[in-house]
Amino acid sequence: MSLTEQLDTLRIAKDLRLPIERLMRALDDAADANEVAQEAQIQIEFVQAMEAAKKIRGPQVEALYILFDDAVQARLKA
C-alpha cells in the first residue's frame, strides 16, 4: 500500500500530508543509522506536536507512530 493510500485510510487531513511525505523522504535520504535515528526522533516529535495541536486524535496518533516506525525499521534493514 502506498503512503497516499495509507494516509487516506487514516483520514489524515490534506494539510498534514505534505509534512508527512517530507518526513518520509528525509528518512529515505538518511545516509547511516545515526541519521535514521535522528529522523525517527523528528517523526516522533511531529506526531506529538500534531496531537498536542489536536490536528490528529487517538487512532490516528497510534497509526502514525506505527507507520513511521515501520518505515524506520525497513530503512535500517536496507
Side-chain angles (χ1 to χ4, degrees):
M1 183 180 296
S2 73
L3 178 59
T4 300
E5 292 170 332
Q6 290 174 313
L7 296 177
D8 286 345
T9 300
L10 297 175
R11 296 184 178 165
I12 299 297
K14 291 192 185 287
D15 65 325
L16 296 180
R17 290 174 182 235
L18 185 57
I20 291 169
E21 290 168 359
R22 286 181 180 157
L23 288 169
M24 293 298 240
R25 277 195 302 273
L27 177 64
D28 288 342
D29 292 342
D32 57 31
N34 186 43
E35 287 185 16
V36 169
Q38 290 172 350
E39 292 302 326
Q41 185 60 40
I42 292 168
Q43 292 170 342
I44 289 168
E45 291 168 4
F46 172 80
V47 174
Q48 291 170 339
M50 292 304 99
E51 182 180 22
K54 300 191 186 310
K55 291 191 174 246
I56 56 174
R57 299 182 193 272
Q60 291 175 316
V61 172
E62 183 177 347
L64 276 178
Y65 279 129
I66 292 168
L67 177 76
F68 284 137
D69 186 59
D70 288 350
V72 167
Q73 295 307 314
R75 183 64 179 90
L76 289 172
K77 289 179 184 175

